[in-house]
């Protein structure tokens, strides 16, 4: 898939105010600093489409981008800030759950994971929640270029083995680098293959 057009549509805190669900949609979620904005920009071939937030944890918004006038890309706020209050965390959870459980055109949520770190409970908790609630997810391992190849591959194997302790089968999985563009073609192909499914289910 060639990206010929990528434009920001709207930010909001309420799934009911999101654009009308008339096109297939793919959301991106992950811990702060995992490389979410960088990945979105890399996928869209734009340097500054998704802004890096100045103050992490403060961006509490669901951000819609329209790609090729054909599908929505959604940048969800990051999780896992140490400094956030319990009340704010609860607000985040409610907003995200409201979106994930009600958004009719949501085809997949890509959960981003920093390949440099061993499996973290906060990430595997989210992954398992998706599984338990039968919400379609795909995994994206980020920052491949930051590791030596052997290290990166070992971390990936360790993560897969960890997931297979609880999952029967692994979800769709991508390995990326926003620096080198690794994984871009694979993710865009995946989206391209899934878009027609939306139109089949929503004639
Ligand atoms: P927040 O918006 O603060 O939650 O962070 P984010 O998840 O959007 O991460 P962002 O894209 O801002 O990236 C965080 C840092 O990691 C930046 O310094 C990026 O340049 C760097 N980074 C992201 N992806 C990659 C990657 O694939 N390779 C390398 N080398 N650096 C990356
Ligand atoms: Mg960001």
């Amino acid at each position: 898939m060639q990206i010929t057009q990528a434009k920001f549509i709207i930010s909001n805190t309420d799934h009911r105010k999101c654009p009308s669900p008339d096109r297939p949609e793919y959301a991106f979620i992950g811990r702060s600093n995992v490389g979410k904005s960088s990945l979105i920009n890399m996928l869209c071939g734009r340097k500054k489409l998704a802004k890096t937030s100045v103050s992490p944890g403060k961006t509490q918004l669901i951000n819609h981008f329209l790609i090729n006038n054909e599908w929505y890309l959604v940048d969800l706020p990051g999780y896992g800030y140490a400094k956030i209050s319990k009340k704010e965390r609860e607000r985040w959870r409610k907003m995200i759950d409201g979106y994930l459980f009600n958004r009719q055109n949501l085809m997949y949520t890509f959960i981003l994971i920093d390949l440099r770190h061993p499996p973290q409970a906060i990430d595997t908790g989210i992954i398992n929640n998706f599984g338990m609630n039968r919400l379609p997810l795909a995994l994206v391992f980020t920052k491949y270029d930051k590791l030596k190849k052997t290290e990166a591959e070992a971390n990936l194997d360790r993560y897969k083995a960890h997931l297979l302790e609880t999952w029967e089968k692994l979800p769709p999985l991508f390995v990326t680098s926003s620096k080198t563009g690794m994984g871009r073609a694979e993710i865009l192909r995946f989206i391209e293959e899934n878009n027609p499914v939306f139109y089949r289910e929503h004639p």
Side-chain angles (χ1 to χ4, degrees):
M1 187 198 307
Q2 298 277 353
I3 305 279
T4 51
Q5 202 184 38
K7 77 177 175 194
F8 170 73
I9 303 293
I10 193 171
S11 291
N12 61 65
T13 53
D14 187 340
H15 68 89
R16 284 163 294 205
K17 294 182 190 152
C18 288
S20 87
D22 55 0
R23 291 168 169 81
E25 183 159 308
Y26 302 84
F28 291 78
I29 197 168
R31 299 187 74 163
S32 176
N33 205 47
V34 70
K36 210 153 47 78
S37 300
S38 306
L39 179 79
I40 289 170
N41 291 335
M42 182 271 264
L43 289 177
C44 296
R46 295 265 298 271
K47 285 205 173 81
K48 286 180 180 167
L49 187 66
K51 288 174 200 136
T52 316
S53 59
V54 190
S55 43
K58 293 273 154 56
T59 311
Q60 291 285 323
L61 299 167
I62 301 166
N63 302 295
H64 273 79
F65 298 88
L66 179 59
I67 312 298
N68 290 354
N69 204 27
E70 192 191 352
W71 54 279
Y72 285 115
L73 183 158
V74 174
D75 185 7
L76 294 173
Y79 53 83
Y81 306 108
K83 284 180 189 155
I84 206 165
S85 71
K86 216 174 166 185
K87 212 172 136 193
E88 280 175 292
R89 197 162 310 180
E90 191 50 27
R91 199 180 325 133
W92 181 92
R93 200 190 57 74
K94 275 199 183 132
M95 178 179 77
I96 299 296
D97 282 356
Y99 169 79
L100 293 174
F101 285 99
N102 294 294
R103 191 69 178 154
Q104 296 150 7
N105 59 334
L106 182 59
M107 304 299 287
Y108 276 92
T109 300
F110 291 91
I111 301 177
L112 275 61
I113 293 157
D114 192 325
L115 190 54
R116 294 174 299 173
H117 309 307
Q120 314 263 310
I122 188 154
D123 292 321
T124 50
I126 297 241
I127 295 169
N128 291 336
N129 266 326
F130 270 77
M132 277 187 300
N133 291 297
R134 300 188 174 280
L135 295 167
L137 81 143
L139 297 179
V140 176
F141 291 92
T142 63
K143 308 193 186 183
Y144 185 90
D145 64 279
K146 285 217 177 206
L147 292 169
K148 289 199 198 92
K149 189 165 184 282
T150 48
E151 240 179 327
E153 295 300 330
N155 284 6
L156 192 58
D157 286 345
R158 178 178 54 180
Y159 217 105
K160 286 182 186 168
H162 183 75
L163 289 174
L164 285 170
E165 286 171 16
T166 45
W167 286 66
E168 212 168 286
K169 181 171 156 265
L170 291 173
L173 189 152
F174 303 92
V175 185
T176 65
S177 161
S178 298
K179 209 171 168 184
T180 66
M182 176 185 190
R184 181 177 190 268
E186 289 78 3
I187 291 176
L188 292 179
R189 191 180 315 127
F190 179 78
I191 291 172
E192 192 170 26
E193 283 168 2
N194 278 283
N195 281 344
V197 177
F198 172 82
Y199 293 103
R200 245 176 272 144
E201 288 170 358
H202 303 78

